[in-house]
Amino acid sequence: MAKFDLVIAIDGTAASGKGTISKKIAHNYSVPHLDTGLLYRFVGYKVLKGFDPVSAVDQLSMSEMEALDLKTLKVSNAASEVAKNPLVRAKLLEFQRSFASQPGGAVLDGRDIGTVICPNANIKFFISASAEIRARRRYKELLGLGHSISLNKVLKDIQERDERDTNRKDSPLVPAVDAKKIDTSDMTIAEVYASVSRVIESELKK
Ligand code: DC
């Protein structure tokens, strides 16, 4: 447990491994974790059910969010679409900031954590990997969850999301200038974790 409020921002591309790493950090340093992609997925899911995006944010419920299957490609695309909407982003901002300001700190992962949500985070990472490698990882994950899908469809989906997330006007996916960048294409989860924990340990010693 850190002696100060430890806020760690982890941004990166879809299926880069940032979620897995964030969960491991949160567990090992005993800080709560928020997967901010789930917030956008929840809103995207509600939009697919016919709600307008802004009223969908008002329905945000952590318990419902945890109960829904939000990892499908349909929901991923809907999330990435609603994430372009500045009203949706503005409404989700306070929730994310208040999560980050808990006593003891927090780990948040997403696309704009180090740049917009927590610009003063103690430590920032930007995790990426080639689109082909990410597609293969996500494909295996979806098969494991019982989804029937082709690798090509997953790759196309990732490329389209990268394009939308990177080129939107409001809070696009860009590394914060002070983020430590890690390309996980040729790394195992254990190697990525070893690399991030070296950075965290050296920060904690300061
Ligand atoms: O991390 P994810 O793949 O679950 O995120 C789903 C979508 O939500 C992603 O394509 C873009 C959007 N998102 C965002 O715009 N900002 C965030 N902080 C997190 C996710």
Side-chain angles (χ1 to χ4, degrees), residues 131-150:
E132 287 71 19
I133 298 263
R134 287 182 287 130
R136 235 171 277 145
R137 290 177 187 161
R138 182 50 60 89
Y139 173 66
K140 275 195 193 156
E141 189 188 335
L142 289 169
L143 286 188
L145 290 170
H147 295 274
S148 91
I149 189 85
S150 76

Side-chain angles (χ1 to χ4, degrees), residues 11-15 18 35-38 40-41 71 75-76 79-81 83-84 89 96 109-113 117 138 161 165 168 171:
D11 290 304
T13 46
K18 63 188 187 317
D35 170 357
T36 65
L38 281 183
Y40 291 92
R41 285 172 182 271
K71 289 287 174 187
V75 174
S76 304
S80 168
E81 274 298 332
K84 291 195 291 191
R89 302 201 75 85
Q96 295 173 81
D109 76 86
R111 303 290 188 290
D112 61 342
I113 309 302
I117 307 295
R138 182 50 60 89
R161 279 212 289 149
D165 295 345
R168 66 172 177 239
S171 315

